[in-house]
Amino acid sequence: MEMQEGRKGIPSLLSSQGECIASNITQLIGWTPLIELKNIAKKDGISARLVGKIEPYQPLSSVKDRSALRLIEDAEERGLISPGITTLAGVTSGNLGIGVAFVAAQKGYKFIAVMPAKLLIDKQILLRYLGVEVILVDPALNGFKGLLDRVEQLKKDMANVFVIDQFTNPANPDAHFRWTGPEIWKDTVGKVDIFVAASGSGGTITGVGRYLKMKNPYIKLICVEPAESAVISGGEPAFHNIQGIGPGFIPEILDRSQIDEVVTVTTQEAMDMARRLAREEGLLVGISSGANAAACLKVAAREENKGKMIVTMFPSGGERYLNSELFAQVKEECIDINNTF
């Protein structure tokens, strides 16, 4: 099914006649630009074309803005939720919650976010700033299951609660089949040979992959996951520090039948590459963006991929990780310098 007409975002305003004013912030969700990583490719002697989709251009700076909008719109279309009546609730590591928060605010829903404590202070701050009720759960107690149990308790304790579950709801990959995939296909003029994306909920790689393989079944789909917790590759779940990917289980919506290969990236590789993207390409992106780019370099270095176009996602902006290990050294240096005054 052709979904090209589902393309949204800023171009819809620029192509309109008369005033170019968005009617609300959700109208800005959608199209984001592609950028070629020519400096890194040249420095590393890569002859393949490395291309990233800059999702920090979304209204609240992450790819999850797309998923949040589609998850809420789908529930509205099915008559499952109503503004002013339904309370939205969901487990989030941050970016999906922030996306739900601003869409919910615009539409008139209350939102309760259940998050692991201690790990994600930047995102907790943003969620509370957006008016979200944040419930923290000790990640040492039952892991991800503990978060899900807390959401189930909310459903028992409150009336009219609808759970935003990005791991099981087909509306998540549908957002990327409708919007992200067609954008990549159109903006590369169908030249994309390989699509590389990390799996968190599995929505992006599943939705984009379905669309691209529908257009060209020879496109290769490569899934990225943390080397420390390579569950999709058959390993055991373990702690890692690439926020937003590798939840420690295989999400229900992840369509593994489409995936041609899984590439693992260590936390250190992801962070080193995120820093390279900033200093060599001027791209201020997050840790999972570094993981995607690091995987692209591994794929691009293969002889059979010379001259091919490899497209990946930069899921979120770097500012969202200021209190993470990604910025730890620079943060310490800045504090030390300021303490001399």
Side-chain angles (χ1 to χ4, degrees):
M1 179 175 59
E2 177 61 65
M3 298 300 294
Q4 191 73 35
E5 67 276 12
R7 187 177 165 94
K8 291 189 175 183
I10 292 172
S12 67
L13 294 175
L14 300 178
S15 62
S16 64
Q17 298 296 318
E19 292 183 348
C20 294
I21 302 172
S23 58
N24 64 70
I25 194 168
T26 66
Q27 190 179 351
L28 303 180
I29 297 171
W31 179 86
T32 52
L34 295 174
I35 187 166
E36 188 164 356
L37 308 180
K38 291 190 173 183
N39 290 343
I40 287 177
K42 182 178 180 180
K43 186 171 182 178
D44 287 29
I46 299 296
S47 61
R49 298 184 67 187
L50 306 178
V51 177
K53 190 163 177 61
I54 313 179
E55 289 299 288
Y57 273 63
Q58 297 294 351
L60 262 68
S61 305
S62 96
V63 67
K64 296 295 187 178
D65 293 2
R66 299 175 183 267
S67 301
L69 178 64
R70 187 64 200 134
L71 286 162
I72 292 174
E73 284 185 340
D74 177 73
E76 289 178 328
E77 290 164 6
R78 292 190 287 144
L80 301 177
I81 61 175
S82 299
I85 298 173
T86 308
T87 296
L88 306 178
V91 172
T92 177
S93 63
N95 286 334
L96 188 278
I98 291 165
V100 171
F102 84 87
V103 175
Q106 198 283 321
K107 288 177 171 284
Y109 294 96
K110 180 182 178 181
F111 175 45
I112 301 175
V114 178
M115 302 181 69
K118 302 177 183 179
L119 303 178
L120 308 157
I121 189 67
D122 294 289
K123 294 169 185 175
Q124 289 178 33
I125 291 168
L126 289 171
L127 283 165
R128 291 181 185 276
Y129 189 78
L130 287 162
V132 175
E133 180 181 343
V134 178
I135 297 176
L136 300 179
V137 176
D138 187 346
L141 300 176
N142 300 320
F144 190 78
K145 184 178 182 298
L147 298 169
L148 295 177
D149 289 345
R150 188 65 182 88
V151 171
E152 287 302 311
Q153 190 62 47
L154 281 175
K155 289 173 67 177
K156 294 177 183 177
D157 295 343
M158 299 174 60
N160 299 312
V161 171
F162 179 81
V163 177
I164 299 286
D165 188 348
Q166 61 177 324
F167 297 99
T168 64
N169 194 328
N172 180 2
D174 185 51
H176 302 288
F177 182 83
R178 287 171 176 258
W179 303 324
T180 320
E183 291 171 27
I184 291 170
W185 181 259
K186 184 175 187 300
D187 289 348
T188 63
V189 200
K191 293 179 180 179
V192 52
D193 296 297
I194 301 169
F195 179 69
V196 177
S199 177
S201 68
T204 302
I205 193 165
T206 295
V208 172
R210 282 177 183 163
Y211 185 87
L212 293 180
K213 290 207 171 198
M214 179 184 73
K215 301 298 287 186
N216 176 4
Y218 297 104
I219 290 174
K220 286 190 176 179
L221 192 64
I222 295 180
C223 179
V224 183
E225 67 172 342
E228 298 91 340
S229 186
V231 175
I232 301 170
S233 302
E236 293 296 318
F239 176 78
H240 65 89
N241 210 1
I242 309 177
Q243 294 183 22
I245 73 170
F249 61 93
I250 298 174
E252 185 177 314
I253 62 167
L254 177 64
D255 186 356
R256 288 188 286 170
S257 68
Q258 297 186 117
I259 297 172
D260 296 291
E261 182 184 352
V262 179
V263 172
T264 61
V265 173
T266 67
T267 296
Q268 191 62 54
E269 287 175 321
M271 292 202 182
D272 288 345
M273 183 54 66
R275 295 173 187 129
R276 283 193 68 186
L277 288 167
R279 295 171 182 177
E280 297 176 34
E281 298 285 358
L283 292 169
L284 190 57
V285 292
I287 306 168
S288 63
S289 300
N292 282 343
C296 283
L297 280 183
K298 293 181 180 185
V299 173
R302 299 171 186 169
E303 185 69 25
E304 69 267 20
N305 292 330
K306 283 187 176 181
K308 292 184 177 179
M309 181 185 288
I310 303 171
V311 178
T312 193
M313 302 291 292
F314 295 147
S316 57
E319 294 100 328
R320 199 154 284 178
Y321 305 90
L322 287 174
N323 287 294
S324 76
E325 186 184 337
L326 182 62
F327 285 86
Q329 182 178 342
V330 173
K331 181 179 178 180
E332 184 177 347
E333 291 170 356
C334 291
I335 290 171
D336 289 344
I337 293 170
N338 277 273
N339 284 340
T340 64
F341 289 92

